[in-house]
Amino acid sequence: AQNHINALGEGNHEIRFVLHGNGVELLRTVSQDSTDAANRIDSLRSQGVKFNICANTLKGRKIVLEDLHFAEQSDFVPSGVAEIEKFQQEDFVYLRP
């Protein structure tokens, strides 16, 4: 994402991460220890990158808001997969690392 922002210029992008399944675990792992990953996530958020978190994953894995790095209630979406589909219908491009 940072390379994409660098190429397009700050403010010339709309990047969203939709985290579900093991993707949510990234935020839990980062929350448990102070890492370079936490700094990169914070930097992306400060540049306007949005992170959407699947509520189904949270419920299924018994993860609470406080377990996740930086997460806010407004970041939650009912279903990560449905959110990806919605964005694709809005002409977003789905990139999976």
Side-chain angles (χ1 to χ4, degrees):
Q2 188 61 59
N3 289 340
H4 191 78
I5 293 168
N6 293 345
L8 295 178
E10 195 168 335
N12 295 321
H13 61 82
E14 187 171 354
I15 299 173
R16 296 177 187 232
F17 284 95
V18 179
L19 304 171
H20 60 94
N22 289 334
V24 174
E25 294 298 333
L26 168 70
L27 299 182
R28 184 157 52 175
T29 301
V30 168
S31 181
Q32 293 172 353
D33 56 24
S34 178
T35 67
D36 185 48
N39 293 333
R40 288 186 299 205
I41 290 169
D42 293 341
S43 175
L44 290 172
R45 280 184 63 98
S46 73
Q47 295 174 81
V49 174
K50 304 283 187 224
F51 289 78
N52 299 119
I53 303 165
C54 176
N56 287 334
T57 298
L58 298 177
K59 182 179 177 185
R61 296 185 183 202
K62 296 177 176 59
I63 300 171
V64 295
L65 175 69
E66 295 76 23
D67 290 342
L68 303 174
H69 178 69
F70 80 75
E72 300 173 0
Q73 192 72 36
S74 62
D75 296 324
F76 296 167
V77 296
S79 167
V81 173
E83 194 73 4
I84 291 169
E85 179 183 2
K86 181 185 95 172
F87 287 139
Q88 286 182 303
Q89 290 175 0
E90 295 174 3
D91 291 330
F92 277 75
V93 176
Y94 176 54
L95 302 174
R96 184 170 184 241

